[in-house]
Amino acid sequence: MSRAGAYTLTAVVVAATGLYAATDGLRALTAEAARRVQIQETRPAVPPFVVEGLQGRRHALRPDSNQVVMVEFIYTTCPTICQTAGGDFAALRDRAVDRGLPVRMLSVSFDPAADGLSELRDYADRHGADGDVWSVARLRPADLQDALRFFRVKAVPDGWGGYQHNAAVLLIDPDGLLVAAYDTGDFDRILAHVEQLS
Amino acid sequence: MRTLSQIPDNAAQQSATKTAAVIKLSIGLSGVVFLLMMIFGLIMRAAQAGWVDLDNALFYQLLTAHGAGMVGTATFSGAAIMWYFLARHVALNATVYIAFLGLFLLGVVLVLGSIFIGGFGGAWNFLFPLPALSGGIWEVGAAVAFCLGYISIGVGFLLYYLEVGYKIARAYGGLLGGLGWRFVWHGDVSRAPPPTVIAAASVTIFNSIGIIFGAIVLVATIVNLLFPEFAIDALMAKNAILFFGHVFINASIYMAVTAVYEVIPEYTGKPWKVSRVFVIAWAVVVIFVQGVYFHHLLQDVNMPKWSMVVGQVMSYGSSVVLIAVTVYSTAVYLKGAAIKWDLSLRLLVLGVIGWGVGTIPAFIDGMVAVNKIMHNTMWVPGHFHTYLLLGEVAMAFGFAAWLVRGRAIRETSALDRFAFGAYVAGGGGFVLMFLWSGASSIPRRWAVHYAQWQLQSQLATVFATVVVLATALLVAGYLRGLLRRGTEQ
Amino acid sequence: MNTVLLSTLCFGAALVLQPMARLDPVAHMLLQYPVLGVSGYLLGLKMPTAPDLRGPLLVLGITCVGFWMLPRSLDAALDSPGMHLAKLVTLPLLAGLPLGMSVPRVGAVLRGFLKAQSLSMLGVLSFLYSHAPIRICNSYLIEDQQRLGAGFLWLAGGLSLLWAVPLFLGHSLMPDLLLQRKKHHDLC
Ligand code: HEM
């Protein structure tokens, strides 16, 4: 082969390797997919965030003992994806209870300024989050930035007073490690993972 | 104008020898692959006849291989023919052809591997979302390999057309000059480019566009296979695929027909003249072959049925003027001339006739069955087997016979006469059985046929056997001719 | 001298565009990216290159463009200051510059191939961005993503005209400037 050909071939190999690495081994083209791959691979420990729930109750995001915590980030006035997510969470709760899985579920608002306790209450009532297995809560303003950064939640104002954001079900294992993120409707894989963790 | 004569003689000589060698190789490969794919077809037809017991998955693998293999080889052999004759008019760089050949073969290996190792059976036109829905029969990897194979072939063709396009543009004052369109309105038509150049410029334009669209769907399909969250709009994908597939297979015959323009004059002693109608006929092809599909590609709403009907009629209609011109001119040139009918001439003329006859069923389909246009019966394979088996492939074998003919034109030998007769009779019977099946509403692409459908399939199997034997004789004759010519030199 | 000035202007324009790029993916990908690339490309046109290095430079440039076209890179450039800086440096120096040093000097067939290929890739991007049911970038709204998809299509249409017209008309009718007539002895 000519010298130019050899150089070019080498460059192609290097380039392909680079792009392979830059997409986490052809697994993630988007930031959201990358978030999910990286959570599964790094399993970061969740900081001791505390969220405010209904009736002034406080919930730690970290699990108590031998328990798996499922978290999703929402804002209650969201007309679209959070309502779907709420419906999905209800279905997930029913299935988890049926299977007798030791889970605690939290829908956490990332918009504490707009989501007062009464808005949270409405959202909880609408989806049947009775506080038993599944509670609705909001981030404290002091934790807001840290929590969004840690969970890599990104909410973009949509110009209509709401947000478009990356919705997902996040799993925290009994040791307090953030271990996975799934689509909110991906019941089978979520439940299988919970089963395996507990 | 730059022509061969302006290149130093020595280099031109060398380049011509090199070109001739690779073209002979390409035609030999095409012949062998045609034969093999015909045997696959025969097996499928025999399975539909209930005479052989074929696993369903294997049937669809054979169907995919037969479809992809035939479309690929038809276009490949057409490309070889056009390159050979275009090189008489402009100085083509043989290295580009060799790169084309290499990429084509790489693609064939990938496609065959995906089918017979990976088990891919999503049919040659891989309509979305079929590649992703294997029902567990094939892995994502097989579908990706299939698409990569197509991409490799597409890249090869793109290089081919770029070289052809640049050389024509340079020699004839832009591609527009190569198309000869300015002679439509005024000017002395005798100064228009030769017919082969007009054909090559036309095919280059529409098939390059087709390939670019094909590449879009192929890459999008691969992205979707690897990252399912990137869904593809099925309607849009279907349009782009149909556009690409349709243009690509059409290109095969538009390229092969250059053999008619260049070889028949050797028999008649009169050059194939470019007339105003000839230029217009090719212009119609260039514009309508693709014009039909453009508005489909840009709209997202569900396609109304009429648009499919119009699309179908227009796209076959686009070739009608050209076919009429070609058939008519062939008849006029041959009439009255004292002609020795050897194998090559017979096959070329058969090709012209098969091409013409093959569009008739398409018209009937478009007109009679307007509301059943999507009914997908055997009528459709009936139509395209006519213009491919009796059209493009006949032209390719005619070119092959001409390549090894020797300088003097000899009367057809008894063996050749037999092979030719068997090809016509077997091929004719075979396509008629498809059409009869279609007229009886037998669906296409069914691995297993009900008992009441089997008669047509059984007769077709007999005819197909005859075609396969005739083809084997033609291929053997070509290979023998190559050896003979090789030792003569 | 002229080139350096023009290149600097392009780079300056890219900086000015930053606030828009943050809000609008069309401004980000179809305005800021290109001016960054062009600022390097112009410099590359003037740089001497050993023929042996054209291939690797071409690959480098294409890879760098490819990397920044990944939706996740678009997000990363907005989320992390390091990536923001990397974008401002690499798009001119690792994409534009090597492309400017190689593209105009390769054979006509290869250059035509690159053009055809970029048209297909724009088509693919348009296909994906306008029809993906998900949000591809976390930083942008889905409506903007669809606008970006349409933008790719327009760009592809514009470029195909720009490139096809000279080929059609040939040098008899087109000013020499638009036609890069070259022998392609160094093809493939
Ligand atoms: C002896 C010759 C041949 C035989 C026995 C044969 C047989 C068949 C059969 C049985 C089918 C499937 C029909 C169905 O049920 O849908 C088929 C499809 C097809 N054939 Fe042939 N064929 C022959 C020659 C050719 C030639 C020469 C070409 C093209 C150059 C060709 C191109 C195709 C294509 C494109 C399909 C469609 C595949 C699909 O539906 O995915 N065939 N052929």
Side-chain angles (χ1 to χ4, degrees):
Chain A
M1 196 192 292
S2 70
R3 211 157 50 168
Y7 288 167
T8 309
L9 201 65
T10 317
V12 169
V13 172
V14 173
T17 318
L19 285 179
Y20 187 80
T23 52
D24 287 306
L26 280 185
R27 281 178 299 171
L29 298 188
T30 61
E32 183 56 17
R35 168 170 88 138
R36 298 182 184 187
V37 168
Q38 284 162 13
I39 286 176
Q40 287 207 343
E41 279 178 359
T42 57
R43 302 160 64 92
V46 178
F49 295 122
V50 174
V51 295
E52 297 176 324
L54 301 170
Q55 286 119 21
R57 273 163 63 187
R58 305 191 143 218
H59 306 272
L61 282 186
R62 294 173 60 96
D64 295 338
S65 62
N66 249 338
Q67 192 185 40
V68 177
V69 178
M70 287 186 202
V71 183
E72 64 175 12
F73 287 92
I74 56 156
Y75 69 102
T76 64
T77 51
C78 174
T80 53
I81 149 176
C82 308
Q83 304 306 333
T84 321
D88 285 346
F89 234 35
L92 205 52
R93 190 252 331 262
D94 296 345
R95 292 177 195 211
V97 169
D98 278 352
R99 293 206 205 175
L101 295 176
V103 288
R104 190 152 62 80
M105 299 168 62
L106 278 172
S107 293
V108 180
S109 165
F110 55 74
D111 190 12
D115 284 336
L117 291 185
S118 70
E119 281 82 10
L120 297 184
R121 159 101 276 143
D122 278 354
Y123 187 85
D125 288 348
R126 205 158 47 227
H127 294 290
D130 54 15
D132 197 10
V133 172
W134 175 15
S135 318
V136 180
R138 61 179 187 177
L139 285 166
R140 295 183 307 175
D143 285 343
L144 188 61
Q145 289 314 322
D146 288 343
L148 293 187
R149 192 167 318 119
F150 175 77
F151 290 107
R152 297 211 255 167
V153 173
K154 186 135 191 203
V156 187
D158 65 5
W160 305 90
Y163 302 91
Q164 287 184 6
H165 59 104
N166 49 344
V169 173
L170 304 163
L171 294 190
I172 303 175
D173 80 351
D175 299 327
L177 305 180
L178 175 60
V179 292
Y182 290 105
D183 281 341
T184 59
D186 205 354
F187 303 144
D188 292 339
R189 286 172 60 208
I190 297 174
L191 291 172
H193 199 160
V194 172
E195 208 147 49
Q196 174 218 323
L197 288 175
S198 53
Chain B
M1 210 183 275
R2 235 177 92 102
T3 54
L4 266 186
S5 57
Q6 279 158 285
I7 299 187
D9 260 358
N10 218 352
Q13 196 57 44
Q14 259 178 12
S15 167
T17 333
K18 200 155 129 192
T19 302
V22 282
I23 297 297
K24 280 179 183 156
L25 173 66
S26 305
I27 291 297
L29 283 173
S30 303
V32 172
V33 179
F34 276 140
L35 182 60
L36 184 67
M37 293 299 136
M38 283 181 182
I39 293 172
F40 286 2
L42 176 63
I43 297 173
M44 286 192 287
R45 214 61 178 116
Q48 291 174 336
W51 286 345
V52 295
D53 203 14
L54 212 58
D55 184 47
N56 263 0
L58 183 58
F59 179 90
Y60 286 107
Q61 286 172 20
L62 287 179
L63 182 68
T64 308
H66 176 82
M70 283 297 194
V71 170
T73 314
T75 314
F76 176 65
S77 57
I81 295 173
M82 192 175 92
W83 187 279
Y84 185 89
F85 290 120
L86 187 65
R88 289 179 168 181
H89 307 281
V90 294
L92 295 173
N93 181 346
T95 315
V96 177
Y97 188 88
I98 292 169
F100 159 69
L101 181 62
L103 285 164
F104 183 82
L105 293 178
L106 174 67
V108 170
V109 169
L110 283 168
V111 167
L112 289 181
S114 85
I115 296 173
F116 291 110
I117 300 174
F120 181 75
W124 79 274
N125 49 1
F126 64 99
L127 275 185
F128 184 80
L130 221 47
L133 300 180
S134 70
I137 297 175
W138 63 82
E139 298 285 326
V140 164
V144 170
F146 186 83
C147 293
L148 285 177
Y150 268 26
I151 288 180
S152 175
I153 292 174
V155 167
F157 270 99
L158 197 59
L159 293 180
Y160 173 106
Y161 288 122
L162 283 165
E163 170 70 4
V164 166
Y166 276 126
K167 291 297 166 65
I168 293 179
R170 209 195 290 166
Y172 293 91
L175 272 182
L176 213 51
L179 291 169
W181 284 3
R182 66 197 167 96
F183 297 99
V184 169
W185 294 282
H186 59 86
D188 175 8
V189 155
S190 69
R191 295 183 46 230
T196 298
V197 171
I198 294 182
S202 309
V203 177
T204 295
I205 291 168
F206 69 73
N207 216 16
S208 303
I209 297 175
I211 288 171
I212 287 178
F213 275 102
I216 293 176
V217 214
L218 283 164
V219 175
T221 305
I222 293 181
V223 171
N224 169 261
L225 286 166
L226 295 177
F227 306 93
E229 71 265 27
F230 285 92
I232 298 182
D233 184 75
L235 185 68
M236 201 134 111
K238 183 173 176 182
N239 273 303
I241 290 171
L242 288 182
F243 172 73
F244 156 66
H246 184 260
V247 162
F248 195 75
I249 187 61
N250 264 280
S252 71
I253 202 147
Y254 291 127
M255 293 192 286
V257 76
T258 53
V260 174
Y261 300 154
E262 300 271 348
V263 171
I264 287 189
E266 287 188 9
Y267 292 82
T268 60
K270 282 174 265 176
W272 195 287
K273 279 224 194 65
V274 170
S275 64
R276 195 155 278 144
V277 185
F278 182 91
V279 177
I280 294 175
W282 275 100
V284 170
V285 169
V286 174
I287 294 168
F288 284 98
V289 145
Q290 50 200 0
V292 187
Y293 264 101
F294 272 141
H295 80 276
H296 295 179
L297 288 165
L298 297 174
Q299 69 176 17
D300 297 7
V301 294
N302 267 327
M303 302 231 285
K305 196 159 270 171
W306 65 263
S307 69
M308 299 302 287
V309 176
V310 170
Q312 172 125 348
V313 173
M314 291 262 279
S315 53
Y316 295 121
S318 67
S319 59
V320 161
V321 187
L322 181 64
I323 291 173
V325 175
T326 310
V327 173
Y328 177 77
S329 314
T330 308
V332 169
Y333 282 129
L334 291 174
K335 202 169 138 251
I339 285 170
K340 281 200 179 136
W341 284 86
D342 74 349
L343 181 62
S344 170
L345 184 60
R346 282 166 196 255
L347 283 165
L348 287 174
V349 173
L350 169 66
V352 173
I353 296 172
W355 185 28
V357 173
T359 47
I360 297 174
F363 265 107
I364 297 177
D365 198 18
M367 290 184 296
V368 179
V370 163
N371 49 359
K372 290 195 264 165
I373 206 105
M374 305 296 282
H375 61 179
N376 259 332
T377 66
M378 286 291 206
W379 191 270
V380 180
H383 139 67
F384 63 70
H385 278 92
T386 311
Y387 81 75
L388 290 171
L389 180 63
L390 299 178
E392 200 283 336
V393 179
M395 289 182 195
F397 280 128
F399 174 70
W402 175 82
L403 271 181
V404 297
R405 186 190 70 188
R407 232 169 280 277
I409 304 174
R410 285 194 218 107
E411 283 295 345
T412 323
S413 71
L415 185 63
D416 283 349
R417 251 205 309 271
F418 173 73
F420 178 74
Y423 192 87
V424 176
F430 174 70
V431 296
L432 277 175
M433 289 309 109
F434 264 143
L435 293 173
W436 180 19
S437 304
S440 344
S441 291
I442 299 174
R444 71 185 279 209
R445 289 186 171 166
W446 282 39
V448 180
H449 278 188
Y450 296 123
Q452 67 267 29
W453 296 347
Q454 284 181 348
L455 176 61
Q456 288 94 326
S457 312
Q458 289 167 350
L459 291 172
T461 307
V462 175
F463 285 121
T465 312
V466 177
V467 180
V468 167
L469 289 177
T471 307
L473 286 177
L474 292 175
V475 173
Y478 175 72
L479 296 178
R480 223 170 340 106
L482 274 190
L483 289 180
R484 193 186 56 232
R485 304 254 298 174
T487 48
E488 268 172 21
Q489 275 161 17
Chain C
M1 188 57 220
N2 235 337
T3 323
V4 176
L5 186 69
L6 213 56
S7 159
T8 317
L9 277 179
C10 284
F11 193 77
L15 295 182
V16 173
L17 281 167
Q18 183 58 25
M20 264 176 85
R22 183 161 285 284
L23 292 176
D24 182 356
V26 181
H28 197 177
M29 255 205 188
L30 296 184
L31 282 178
Q32 196 190 35
Y33 273 25
V35 285
L36 282 173
V38 168
S39 78
Y41 190 90
L42 292 172
L43 295 181
L45 291 177
K46 302 278 159 166
M47 305 267 270
T49 327
D52 278 356
L53 290 182
R54 278 177 207 152
L57 284 170
L58 194 60
V59 174
L60 171 65
I62 293 172
T63 313
C64 187
V65 173
F67 172 81
W68 286 108
M69 297 300 261
L70 291 174
R72 60 186 284 186
S73 311
L74 208 63
D75 267 333
L78 296 174
D79 288 344
S80 120
M83 288 296 274
H84 174 60
L85 204 65
K87 181 184 80 179
L88 294 181
V89 173
T90 57
L91 272 178
L93 294 184
L94 297 185
L97 186 79
L99 289 177
M101 289 165 75
S102 51
V103 171
R105 296 168 203 175
V106 299
V109 171
L110 181 53
R111 204 168 47 238
F113 170 74
L114 292 171
K115 289 175 182 170
Q117 214 53 22
S118 39
L119 291 182
S120 319
M121 283 320 293
L122 287 173
V124 171
L125 289 168
S126 165
F127 210 7
L128 294 178
Y129 277 80
S130 56
H131 281 78
I134 53 160
R135 271 169 76 226
I136 295 176
C137 289
N138 282 343
S139 311
Y140 295 117
L141 301 176
I142 195 148
E143 302 84 54
D144 292 332
Q145 158 179 326
Q146 285 160 358
R147 250 178 347 102
L148 180 58
F152 282 125
L153 200 60
W154 282 105
L155 183 61
L159 285 178
S160 53
L161 278 186
L162 186 71
W163 289 334
V165 167
L167 189 62
F168 266 82
L169 298 184
H171 42 81
S172 52
L173 294 171
M174 294 293 291
D176 257 5
L177 188 75
L178 284 174
L179 284 174
Q180 293 135 320
R181 263 178 297 148
K182 273 199 183 353
K183 284 238 164 86
H184 47 282
H185 44 252
D186 46 6
L187 167 89
C188 300

